[in-house]
Amino acid sequence: MKIRVTQENLSAALSAVSRVASGRSALPILSNILIHTEDKALYLTATNLEIAIKARVGGKVEKSGRLAIPARLLNDFVSSLPRGELMLEQTKKHALKVTAEHHESTINGADPEEFPSIPDEVPGETLSLDGAKLKEALQQTIMAASADEARQVLTGVFLHSEGVESYVVATDSYRLAEKKLDAGKVEMAHNVPASAMQEVLRNLDNNEEKVMLNLSENQAVFTLGTVVIISRLIDGKYPDYKQIIPKSAEATAEIEKEELISIVRVAGLFARESAGSVVVRVSEEDQKISVEAIASQTGENMSTAEAKVTGEGEASLNSRYLLDALQAMDSNKVEFQLSGKHSPCVIRPIGTKDYTHLVMPLKS
Amino acid sequence: MKIRVTQENLSAALSAVSRVASGRSALPILSNILIHTEDKALYLTATNLEIAIKARVGGKVEKSGRLAIPARLLNDFVSSLPRGELMLEQTKKHALKVTAEHHESTINGADPEEFPSIPDEVPGETLSLDGAKLKEALQQTIMAASADEARQVLTGVFLHSEGVESYVVATDSYRLAEKKLDAGKVEMAHNVPASAMQEVLRNLDNNEEKVMLNLSENQAVFTLGTVVIISRLIDGKYPDYKQIIPKSAEATAEIEKEELISIVRVAGLFARESAGSVVVRVSEEDQKISVEAIASQTGENMSTAEAKVTGEGEASLNSRYLLDALQAMDSNKVEFQLSGKHSPCVIRPIGTKDYTHLVMPLKS
């Protein structure tokens, strides 16, 4: 192996792939990054067996090769080097020599033949998605996915279609977020682990272009420019969530988003001992929304804001879930719907039905 | 108690005092902030028995009083409130009612009589120090204080005088930092806990004015504008450190600080398995300084930079201590002195003897 690359290109590719390489894996080879060449191009690949990320690096391959080098050291090292040209060479059996101005380093690696092989594509349909829209959809839904591995189906972000519409959905059964995705006419019912979607989101940061999504029955391949993210899919039937979205509301309030965030945040401080529970009330007579926290030991808090209200209603809600939902809204004003103490509260940006966020009521 | 204050003033005072209030103390009262009035002025006080901080808050005291209110909740709560006027009132026995636009909260507190009494001044000399100079001196020395309570005398920052000169010193026996302080003609030999000095430093952030320092045999009182920090002093004889500062050097190198930081940082990555140990060499013939790390498992690294060198020398040094020292230098160029494998390495900003940083050699 003999390759010329710039520190900037190599560092960018390392930051794209290295997070999935873990030193805590039972398989030591997975703490490495595979540095490999294909058709005179340089690639980096890392995997934790659930997710794999492969990045193409701009550079000049003078001699092809294949090395597995510890991810953490390589990433820290390259990001600490000054900008400019680097020479990557294989020395000894599995070692990488990196030469830069003022620096000459050799990093010992592992046998690259132990590295699992990663498919570049999977048999199945390939969709083209708008990168900016996918990014927004993930930002607005991913927080609602469950972290509890006991019910694995809820740890995913569900991509599915219904007629001509397609949706991105996540729920942990305490809250639910659904965003419409303009994916064109497709057939989808694919449940992608939220951890893989986090990597997609992270790599969408500086990439607003098209995302190619290749779906098979048990794998998804996202292609974002020079970065390819391959993930397994989660088995099992996703809950029929549409039925729990209320069709109508007993009470509706329109309110400035930032103001509601502020009062929910303050009330949440007083709700620590009651696991975040606050009571939200809307009143048509007062044209106000109020958020109240009562904590027997800590004290009590009542915050109010003006709102355009129709109907009367109240519900006990988790203040952290409310904050997550409000912070995901992309509008200045939000619509807040209550339908009795036992129905979910619905939050939407004003003026669109593309994004729906549900927060389930707490027993009070 | 009935007091009008602005959210801005109260929040600033809370952030000055609340860090020393700890929920982990064996004495539950110490997790509170004492809100008290003296001569129609409002004060906040917090203490961990070693350090106490008292801040005066601009506001209008309509009715005096004394309350002890949980520090964490009060701080989080006030900093979450919007800017503007707040009304603080005592309700119930030990509870504080805070009224702001849109918010009404009551926070339950503890019996203020349990709060330890804090002296405002101590019998002894009072010096006037330049705030900006004290800040710089602490920033350049505090990192060298020991975190190891087993040798308590080294956990302090030592203020002492010798003739007309005064110094700020810290050492953990592996490195030493000494900075001259223009304190005028004073008699000092006072060892202040580094944790108290951290609070002084933190509160000097937006305060470049005079600092009054009132010293008794076992206490120090720092007055920084509206904030007063009272600390116990550390007992025991401070080591006679002057004798270990080399009077001359076998080899001297002048080098760009940022360049040396860069190569030491890169070498340090390779030195993780050898506890940070790197070999620094200076060569008059090459006019270069080199930093080398050899880690049998990881690999190896050699970094070099141009330097103005007289003499030849090398030493094994801890790369983290080198980085700490270099990052504390306030000049673009530094002087690096070596005097054999067993003598401390001396680092100084070019053109001044006011600041001396020593790094002890490792056995190699």
Side-chain angles (χ1 to χ4, degrees):
Chain A
M1 177 183 293
K2 190 169 179 187
I3 301 159
R4 285 177 203 280
V5 285
T6 62
Q7 185 270 346
E8 297 90 315
N9 283 351
L10 188 60
S11 188
L14 279 167
S15 98
V17 307
S18 61
R19 264 173 45 130
V20 301
S22 168
R24 290 191 304 268
S25 169
L27 273 179
I29 189 71
L30 299 185
S31 66
N32 293 275
I33 286 173
L34 186 70
I35 305 177
H36 53 125
T37 54
E38 286 172 32
D39 300 334
K40 289 281 170 195
L42 171 64
Y43 292 88
L44 305 183
T45 298
T47 182
N48 60 12
L49 298 186
E50 178 165 277
I51 309 163
I53 307 188
K54 178 176 173 181
R56 196 177 71 233
V57 192
K60 190 160 181 292
V61 177
E62 297 183 2
K63 199 170 152 191
S64 60
R66 192 174 174 86
L67 284 168
I69 300 297
R72 185 177 158 211
L73 176 60
L74 185 63
N75 191 29
D76 290 351
F77 169 60
V78 173
S79 64
S80 297
L81 287 176
R83 284 161 171 261
E85 197 180 74
L86 308 178
M87 173 71 91
L88 312 180
E89 283 170 287
Q90 179 167 3
T91 60
K92 296 187 279 179
K93 200 169 172 201
H94 299 312
L96 174 72
K97 181 172 153 193
V98 181
T99 313
E101 203 191 352
H102 302 311
H103 296 278
E104 194 179 292
S105 309
T106 301
I107 307 181
N108 297 328
D111 183 355
E113 297 315 312
E114 288 176 22
F115 205 86
S117 80
I118 313 289
D120 268 340
E121 52 184 335
V122 291
E125 203 172 355
T126 296
L127 327 176
S128 168
L129 302 173
D130 180 293
K133 286 202 175 145
L134 178 63
K135 183 177 172 180
E136 189 187 34
L138 291 177
Q139 283 171 331
Q140 292 185 320
T141 53
I142 210 164
M143 83 295 266
S146 174
D148 180 3
E149 293 290 335
R151 217 177 143 193
Q152 240 209 348
V153 75
L154 299 186
T155 63
V157 173
F158 188 51
L159 304 173
H160 76 112
S161 55
E162 233 184 76
V164 294
E165 302 291 1
S166 48
Y167 300 90
V168 179
V169 183
T171 179
D172 58 10
S173 82
Y174 304 108
R175 44 155 162 204
L176 181 147
E178 183 206 55
K179 174 80 174 183
K180 258 191 209 170
L181 190 68
D182 296 321
K185 180 90 187 81
V186 290
E187 288 265 349
M188 279 196 299
H190 294 80
N191 194 1
V192 185
S195 55
M197 284 305 204
Q198 285 288 10
E199 291 300 321
V200 172
L201 189 52
R202 210 166 60 83
N203 280 291
L204 274 166
D205 259 8
N206 303 308
N207 187 324
E208 306 293 304
E209 290 164 38
K210 288 283 165 210
V211 173
M212 303 308 291
L213 171 53
N214 175 205
L215 289 164
S216 78
E217 206 179 313
N218 46 28
Q219 280 186 307
V221 182
F222 294 85
T223 304
L224 304 80
T226 57
V227 176
V228 179
I229 297 167
I230 301 116
S231 172
R232 71 164 183 88
L233 295 174
I234 300 173
D235 264 349
K237 187 173 156 39
Y238 203 78
D240 178 18
Y241 71 89
K242 285 270 186 193
Q243 60 172 6
I244 66 158
I245 302 179
K247 303 284 178 294
S248 62
E250 288 178 12
T252 301
E254 271 183 42
I255 178 169
E256 295 287 338
K257 179 182 65 176
E258 288 304 328
E259 208 166 322
L260 191 53
I261 286 176
S262 162
I263 68 176
V264 171
R265 182 179 288 137
V266 170
L269 296 174
F270 284 80
R272 281 176 186 156
E273 65 178 85
S274 57
S277 166
V278 295
V279 178
V280 180
R281 284 190 193 86
V282 301
S283 157
E284 181 162 350
E285 196 185 327
D286 300 340
Q287 290 293 303
K288 280 196 170 138
I289 186 166
S290 74
V291 181
E292 187 177 9
I294 300 174
S296 53
Q297 285 170 32
T298 315
E300 55 201 66
N301 173 269
M302 164 75 92
S303 305
T304 54
E306 281 166 31
K308 210 169 115 187
V309 181
T310 15
E312 306 280 327
E314 72 170 71
S316 290
L317 300 166
N318 183 314
S319 56
R320 190 166 63 78
Y321 294 165
L322 279 178
L323 279 181
D324 280 354
L326 291 169
Q327 280 160 345
M329 299 286 146
D330 53 3
S331 61
N332 293 329
K333 287 194 166 199
V334 297
E335 187 182 85
F336 200 92
Q337 295 183 345
L338 295 175
S339 300
K341 288 192 175 186
H342 305 294
S343 282
C345 151
V346 179
I347 309 170
R348 288 199 179 97
I350 286 283
T352 167
K353 294 221 156 191
D354 277 5
Y355 180 41
T356 302
H357 203 115
L358 260 59
V359 180
M360 312 307 162
L362 298 162
K363 288 180 188 72
S364 59
Chain B
M1 176 184 291
K2 190 170 177 186
I3 301 159
R4 285 177 203 281
V5 285
T6 61
Q7 185 270 346
E8 298 89 315
N9 283 350
L10 188 60
S11 187
L14 279 167
S15 97
V17 307
S18 62
R19 265 175 45 130
V20 301
S22 167
R24 289 191 305 268
S25 170
L27 273 178
I29 189 71
L30 300 184
S31 66
N32 292 275
I33 286 173
L34 186 70
I35 305 177
H36 53 125
T37 56
E38 286 172 33
D39 300 333
K40 289 281 170 195
L42 171 64
Y43 292 89
L44 304 183
T45 297
T47 182
N48 61 12
L49 298 185
E50 178 165 277
I51 308 162
I53 307 187
K54 179 176 172 181
R56 197 177 70 234
V57 191
K60 191 160 179 290
V61 177
E62 298 183 1
K63 199 170 154 193
S64 61
R66 192 174 174 86
L67 284 169
I69 301 297
R72 185 177 157 211
L73 176 60
L74 185 64
N75 191 29
D76 289 352
F77 169 59
V78 173
S79 66
S80 296
L81 287 176
R83 284 161 170 260
E85 197 180 73
L86 308 178
M87 172 71 90
L88 311 180
E89 283 169 286
Q90 179 167 3
T91 59
K92 295 188 277 177
K93 201 171 173 199
H94 299 312
L96 174 72
K97 182 171 151 191
V98 181
T99 313
E101 203 191 351
H102 302 310
H103 296 279
E104 194 180 291
S105 308
T106 301
I107 308 181
N108 297 327
D111 183 356
E113 296 316 311
E114 287 177 23
F115 206 88
S117 80
I118 313 288
D120 268 341
E121 51 184 337
V122 292
E125 204 171 354
T126 296
L127 327 174
S128 168
L129 302 173
D130 181 293
K133 285 202 175 145
L134 179 63
K135 183 177 172 181
E136 189 186 34
L138 292 178
Q139 283 172 332
Q140 291 186 321
T141 54
I142 210 163
M143 83 296 267
S146 174
D148 181 2
E149 292 291 333
R151 217 177 144 195
Q152 240 209 349
V153 75
L154 299 186
T155 63
V157 173
F158 188 51
L159 304 174
H160 77 113
S161 55
E162 234 184 76
V164 295
E165 301 291 2
S166 47
Y167 300 91
V168 178
V169 183
T171 179
D172 58 9
S173 82
Y174 305 107
R175 51 177 159 183
L176 181 146
E178 182 205 56
K179 174 79 174 183
K180 260 191 209 169
L181 191 68
D182 297 321
K185 179 89 186 81
V186 291
E187 287 266 349
M188 279 196 299
H190 294 80
N191 194 1
V192 184
S195 55
M197 285 305 206
Q198 285 288 11
E199 291 299 322
V200 172
L201 189 52
R202 211 167 58 85
N203 280 290
L204 274 166
D205 259 8
N206 302 308
N207 186 324
E208 305 293 305
E209 290 164 36
K210 287 285 166 207
V211 174
M212 304 307 290
L213 172 53
N214 175 204
L215 289 164
S216 78
E217 206 179 311
N218 47 29
Q219 280 186 307
V221 182
F222 295 84
T223 304
L224 305 79
T226 57
V227 175
V228 179
I229 298 166
I230 302 118
S231 172
R232 72 167 182 87
L233 295 174
I234 300 172
D235 264 349
K237 189 173 155 34
Y238 202 80
D240 178 18
Y241 71 89
K242 286 270 186 194
Q243 62 171 4
I244 67 159
I245 302 179
K247 303 284 177 294
S248 62
E250 288 178 12
T252 301
E254 272 183 41
I255 177 169
E256 294 288 337
K257 179 182 66 177
E258 289 304 328
E259 208 165 323
L260 190 53
I261 286 177
S262 161
I263 68 176
V264 172
R265 182 177 288 136
V266 170
L269 296 173
F270 285 80
R272 282 176 184 156
E273 66 178 86
S274 57
S277 166
V278 296
V279 178
V280 180
R281 284 189 193 86
V282 301
S283 156
E284 182 163 350
E285 196 186 328
D286 299 341
Q287 290 293 303
K288 282 200 170 137
I289 186 166
S290 73
V291 181
E292 187 177 10
I294 300 173
S296 52
Q297 285 170 34
T298 315
E300 56 201 63
N301 173 268
M302 164 75 92
S303 304
T304 54
E306 282 166 31
K308 211 169 114 188
V309 181
T310 17
E312 304 281 327
E314 74 170 69
S316 290
L317 299 165
N318 183 313
S319 55
R320 191 167 60 79
Y321 294 164
L322 278 178
L323 278 181
D324 281 352
L326 292 168
Q327 280 159 343
M329 299 287 147
D330 53 3
S331 60
N332 292 331
K333 285 195 167 198
V334 297
E335 188 182 86
F336 199 93
Q337 296 183 344
L338 295 175
S339 300
K341 285 192 174 184
H342 307 293
S343 282
C345 150
V346 179
I347 308 168
R348 289 198 180 96
I350 286 284
T352 167
K353 293 223 157 188
D354 279 5
Y355 179 42
T356 303
H357 204 115
L358 260 60
V359 179
M360 312 308 162
L362 298 163
K363 289 179 187 72
S364 59

